[in-house]
Amino acid sequence: MSARARTFALPALAVVLVAAVLGVQLASGGTSYLPAAAASACSAQAPALPGQDDLDAITQTIVVDGVRRAACRLGTSRERLLVALPSSRDRAALARDLGVTDAALLEELRSGLLEAVARLDSEHALPPVSSLLDDFAARLGLPQLAVSAIRQIPADVVDDLLPTGDVLRRAVTTVDLAKVLDGIDDSSQLERALAPAISDAAIAEARERLSERAGALGGLLGLG
Amino acid sequence: MIWLLALAVGIVLADSAIVTLALPEVLRDFDAQVSGVSWVLTAYNLVLGLAAVPAARGSVTTHGAARTGVVGAAIFAAASAVCGVAPDLGWLIGARVVQALGGAFVITAALELLVAATGSSRTGAARWATAGVIGAGIGPVVGGLLTEALSWRAIFLVQVPLVLLAIPAMRRAADRSADPAWAAEAETSTHPFPLDRTDRPRVAANVALGLLSAALTAALFLLVLLLIEGWRRTPVAAALTVTVIPLAAFAAGAVARRAQAGTQGEAIAGAILVAGGLTALAILPDANLAWTIAPQVLVGLGLGLTVESLTAFALHDRFPRALQGGWTIAARHLGIVVGLLILTPLFVADLDRAQGRAEESITALVIDAPIAASEKLELAAGLQRQLTSEAGRVPDLAPAFNRLDVTPDDAAEVAELQASMNDQLERAATHAFQRAFLAGGILALLALIPALLLRDTARDREPPRADPDAPTLVRVPS
């Protein structure tokens, strides 16, 4: 073999070796070993409907679907929104990136949650309040006397006075979302922020419906 | 004597990369950032690169080399001891600067002393180049093992006695060259070089060395960081994994002898192999260590074919030897600095981006996980704590899962969730190194330009011939 041929035989062998290694790696998915990209919030499917008896799953569905809807409207991914929500600083940074105010971002979240509640309500996926009384009583820390008194009320009367969807809508509308998000890492703080919102919403809903009924009864009796 | 001198050369050159595997531990010990810690490597290589040629001016004669070598070894040993007990990153980087200064004297003096000790300019230069390649190749492995077994500080402390052992060897090499009986037999005595002759350095060979060193930095520095920080492997596992590079470099010697391609053929083939190996590291199909072996074999073969051959070519028939050796050291280590300066910001920025992407994919997994809301909230809080506590690094998610109070019904889902999250982190970390590896590959390809300009054939691998007609030749003073 001539000196020139010897000079270029080794580079040729190197090219073959490199091509073989790169070929095997490309064939084994070398260019697709990437972290999963966040799906577009608008194209992501709404979460599956939970069973009526699974309060935990219902709560999750409302939050996940609500965040997804808010993210879609804000033009970001649900993951990015969810990562930013617990910290007021990250929230403000995300709002700046999206060209909205912090308050507007929270209002979009509220709208998303309301839509999520409406979806579950329209699909009859929300359980009647009467079936949740024990759970609510435990979560709200109601005295035993009050729990016993409530149990004496017939279930259909309770459900008529407190439709789950309406109570949740009222709670979502009135709750201080910033306060809830600030306490999301601490379950007791979260409970303290959520419990009054839900109980206030339930009381306001019951009061409004009772006054409607009283008004209608008064009208019937000619007292209006 | 020869082995002690070669050991000193190996240690000085190993130091350019020996702390690579220890960087993650240094990072944690000093609570520093990757960009800051990379100066532990950069400062050493920068000073060694800048000081090599000036330091070589004191080593053009054997006795001058012995003097500067002894001073250099003492400085190197003292600075190594300071590195080993450095209280903060500033002290460590400062001591590394002094260490490199001492190293520049040792390395350039060792070339002349090895020629004197072996009695042959060719054999001495070959030993010098080989010791450097071995040192640079196994440095990270030794560093990783010491870090795992003891601490990163041990890397510097063990060097102190080893480098001091070279001091008597330097004196003996100088004494030996002064022995008329030895000088009569030695090739150096029949081929002395003129003291007033200063050859121009071989630019193409030195530029190729510089570019390949920059690319090889990517291979060693980035691969080690990927293994330890990205894939969270132990330093021992990482050390054993990167052993493939020096092993392949040794194998390259046999390939080169068989192929007889000459310096140009070896340099071209080596540049292609290093570029291909780095490209292969940029497209790993998953985070299994086995996938890194073939790319490392390519890089190791490239290393073995190029560095020793180009160094020998740069030194061949060029005088003064120490000064020519200084140029090769300057080219290699400034190349490493260029590599670090190009690649570190690139990979730090990509790591930052990858962290955001990993955070989103982990969030998606938490959102969609079929576990109770209370567990999700607890897990999310734990993951957030891990991300915050390991800011700027790929987090270890295990503590967040260990703290989780999981119901038996959810145990399997939680275990699957943890595996999926770790997979996403490994994907994100691997992706973060992709552009840096590719940039290293481009640097290796650039080395093809000076490699194509090399004018040599296999004849250059033959021993140098004396110039019998040179009228100004004088004997090396003893």
Side-chain angles (χ1 to χ4, degrees):
Chain A
M1 195 187 282
S2 71
R4 191 168 178 79
R6 276 206 304 271
T7 299
F8 289 98
L10 199 57
L13 180 66
V15 169
V16 172
L17 273 176
V18 167
V21 172
L22 293 181
V24 169
Q25 292 198 189
L26 288 171
S28 307
T31 51
S32 56
Y33 188 60
L34 302 167
S40 158
C42 299
S43 60
Q45 278 194 331
L49 293 172
Q52 275 200 346
D53 56 342
D54 191 348
L55 195 59
D56 198 73
I58 291 168
T59 314
Q60 273 203 51
T61 307
I62 292 171
V63 173
V64 172
D65 197 22
V67 169
R68 182 185 68 85
R69 288 164 188 273
C72 174
R73 267 209 292 268
L74 287 163
T76 186
S77 68
R78 58 180 193 157
E79 290 81 9
R80 194 169 173 214
L81 179 58
L82 209 56
V83 167
L85 282 177
S87 149
S88 54
R89 203 179 58 185
D90 292 348
R91 232 163 33 226
L94 177 62
R96 258 197 317 278
D97 281 359
L98 298 173
V100 296
T101 62
D102 198 11
L105 187 137
L106 288 179
E107 281 317 304
E108 291 293 0
L109 177 63
R110 195 187 302 280
S111 302
L113 292 170
L114 286 171
E115 284 176 18
V117 169
R119 170 181 167 246
L120 289 188
D121 202 13
S122 68
E123 299 281 352
H124 306 291
L126 292 172
V129 165
S130 57
S131 68
L132 302 173
L133 273 181
D134 286 348
D135 198 67
F136 274 143
R139 284 179 190 228
L140 298 175
L142 292 180
Q144 193 53 43
L145 191 66
V147 177
S148 303
I150 290 169
R151 281 196 186 127
Q152 300 308 311
I153 307 170
D156 54 345
V157 173
V158 173
D159 294 335
D160 186 47
L161 276 177
L162 297 170
T164 313
D166 290 345
V167 173
L168 284 177
R169 263 192 290 273
R170 193 182 283 271
V172 171
T173 307
T174 55
V175 75
D176 182 348
L177 279 178
K179 199 170 159 190
V180 170
L181 292 171
D182 289 342
I184 205 153
D185 289 344
D186 178 349
S187 57
S188 60
Q189 198 184 331
L190 185 63
E191 199 88 28
R192 279 200 300 278
L194 279 176
I198 295 172
S199 59
D200 288 353
I203 291 165
E205 188 67 29
R207 192 174 284 161
E208 193 177 299
R209 285 181 181 262
L210 279 172
S211 71
E212 275 174 16
R213 305 266 188 298
L217 189 62
L220 276 175
L221 297 174
L223 300 173
Chain B
M1 176 170 66
I2 293 167
W3 290 109
L4 288 174
L5 291 171
L7 179 68
V9 173
I11 288 174
V12 171
L13 291 187
D15 256 77
S16 71
I18 200 166
V19 284
T20 309
L21 276 155
L23 288 183
E25 200 178 298
V26 176
L27 199 83
R28 273 185 282 275
D29 264 18
F30 292 143
D31 195 22
Q33 297 296 313
V34 172
S35 50
V37 168
S38 72
W39 276 98
V40 178
L41 280 180
T42 308
Y44 183 87
N45 286 292
L46 183 62
V47 174
L48 189 57
L50 291 176
V53 173
R57 294 193 189 279
S59 296
V60 292
T61 64
T62 310
H63 270 268
R67 270 196 306 276
T68 53
V70 167
V71 171
I75 293 172
F76 187 90
S80 297
V82 176
C83 287
V85 295
D88 58 40
L89 188 60
W91 269 93
L92 180 59
I93 293 172
R96 288 280 283 167
V97 166
V98 180
Q99 199 192 23
L101 207 58
F105 285 112
V106 172
I107 196 87
T108 49
L111 174 58
E112 198 58 42
L113 293 170
L114 275 167
V115 169
T118 57
S120 156
S121 57
R122 180 175 163 75
T123 310
R127 292 272 161 81
W128 184 77
T130 306
V133 171
I134 293 173
I138 66 167
V141 178
V142 174
L145 294 174
L146 283 169
T147 302
E148 183 75 357
L150 302 164
S151 141
W152 64 265
R153 294 181 186 277
I155 293 173
F156 297 107
L157 296 174
V158 297
Q159 292 180 28
V160 177
L162 293 177
V163 170
L164 291 177
L165 279 176
I167 290 179
M170 288 170 178
R171 292 219 164 107
R172 276 172 55 201
D175 293 344
R176 183 180 242 184
S177 71
D179 177 357
W182 168 257
E185 287 177 23
E187 181 206 322
T188 43
S189 65
T190 55
H191 303 294
F193 66 86
L195 283 176
D196 58 347
R197 175 178 158 191
T198 303
D199 294 328
R200 281 192 309 121
R202 285 203 160 103
V203 177
N206 281 312
V207 171
L209 268 176
L211 287 165
L212 283 164
S213 297
L216 288 164
T217 305
L220 284 171
F221 177 60
L222 295 175
L223 179 60
V224 160
L225 277 179
L226 172 65
L227 296 179
I228 298 182
E229 286 294 279
W231 295 356
R232 303 198 73 85
R233 300 297 199 273
T234 62
V236 165
L240 291 175
T241 306
V242 299
T243 312
V244 174
I245 293 179
L247 288 178
F250 291 136
V255 175
R257 277 191 297 277
R258 199 174 171 80
Q260 290 190 315
T263 304
Q264 189 183 45
E266 288 172 10
I268 293 170
I272 291 168
L273 288 165
V274 173
L278 287 167
T279 307
L281 285 171
I283 54 165
L284 294 169
D286 70 39
N288 191 323
L289 291 177
W291 279 113
T292 68
I293 291 174
Q296 285 190 79
V297 168
L298 296 182
V299 171
L301 287 174
L303 171 73
L305 283 177
T306 53
V307 176
E308 197 178 326
S309 167
L310 284 168
T311 304
F313 182 81
L315 296 179
H316 177 60
D317 212 16
R318 281 286 196 271
F319 296 102
R321 271 184 295 266
L323 201 57
Q324 301 298 331
W327 281 113
T328 67
I329 295 297
R332 283 173 61 178
H333 291 273
L334 292 177
I336 291 173
V337 172
V338 169
L340 287 170
L341 292 179
I342 291 174
L343 302 174
T344 305
L346 195 66
F347 128 83
V348 167
D350 283 358
L351 193 62
D352 197 41
R353 262 195 294 275
Q355 205 173 13
R357 204 163 163 186
E359 212 170 290
E360 285 188 14
S361 57
I362 283 175
T363 307
L365 286 169
V366 174
I367 293 172
D368 298 328
I371 59 172
S374 55
E375 286 169 353
K376 280 187 184 180
L377 280 175
E378 199 182 334
L379 180 60
L383 291 171
Q384 192 58 42
R385 271 195 295 275
Q386 284 306 111
L387 286 170
T388 310
S389 68
E390 298 194 44
R393 298 169 210 153
V394 178
D396 176 12
L397 303 180
F401 281 89
N402 294 343
R403 278 194 292 266
L404 208 55
D405 187 15
V406 186
T407 62
D409 288 348
D410 286 348
E413 277 87 359
V414 168
E416 196 179 323
L417 181 62
Q418 187 174 4
S420 301
M421 284 185 185
N422 283 329
D423 176 54
Q424 286 301 319
L425 282 182
E426 284 177 343
R427 282 168 180 268
T430 309
H431 185 55
F433 286 78
Q434 194 174 56
R435 282 201 313 161
F437 278 129
L438 286 175
I442 291 169
L443 287 170
L445 282 180
L446 286 175
L448 284 174
I449 298 170
L452 286 167
L453 295 174
L454 292 173
R455 288 282 169 263
D456 88 288
T457 67
R459 286 195 308 276
D460 287 314
R461 301 180 70 76
E462 291 165 11
R465 288 167 303 187
D467 180 0
D469 302 324
T472 54
L473 288 183
V474 293
R475 201 168 180 286
V476 180
S478 54

